[in-house]
């Protein structure tokens, strides 16, 4: 589910913006779920901004990717059950 449509032609940076397409999940709920995993991201309009820095390891990046997937799946199931 993660990273569908990510362009390989992007320049090297420590900032990524992404959104939730084709879903009824709210960005605020998604960001709140990430925060429960200790991951802080910022909502800017209809996008989420994630930033890393030189002290973030590949293991921490992989932890964040796993948490993003877990939060998305958890919230998706909650929303579907409540409908």
């Amino acid at each position: 589910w993660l990273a569908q449509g990510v362009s390989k032609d992007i320049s090297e940076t420590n900032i990524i913006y992404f959104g939730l397409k084709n879903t009824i999940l709210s960005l605020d709920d998604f960001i709140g779920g990430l925060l429960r995993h200790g991951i802080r991201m910022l909502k800017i309009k209809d996008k989420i901004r994630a930033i890393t820095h030189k002290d973030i390891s590949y293991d921490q990046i992989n932890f964040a990717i796993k948490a993003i997937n877990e939060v998305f799946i958890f919230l998706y199931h909650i929303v579907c059950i409540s409908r």
Side-chain angles (χ1 to χ4, degrees):
W1 294 25
L2 185 62
Q4 291 180 334
V6 173
S7 171
K8 303 250 188 230
D9 297 328
I10 57 176
S11 61
E12 189 173 319
T13 181
N14 66 332
I15 301 170
I16 186 168
Y17 290 89
F18 64 96
L20 304 178
K21 287 183 115 180
N22 302 322
T23 183
I24 56 175
L25 301 178
S26 87
L27 293 178
D28 291 323
D29 288 341
F30 187 71
I31 290 172
L34 292 174
L35 193 55
R36 286 188 279 286
H37 286 272
I39 300 168
R40 291 180 293 173
M41 294 190 186
L42 181 64
K43 181 175 111 174
I44 299 178
K45 297 183 183 179
D46 64 340
K47 300 279 187 235
I48 297 172
R49 183 179 74 176
I51 301 175
T52 64
H53 58 82
K54 64 183 176 96
D55 296 326
I56 299 295
S57 69
Y58 285 108
D59 287 340
Q60 290 169 310
I61 296 293
N62 287 327
F63 173 83
I65 291 168
K66 182 179 176 187
I68 289 168
N69 279 311
E70 288 176 7
V71 168
F72 183 82
I73 291 167
F74 174 77
L75 290 174
Y76 180 79
H77 288 296
I78 294 296
V79 168
C80 288
I81 289 170
S82 67
R83 293 186 107 202

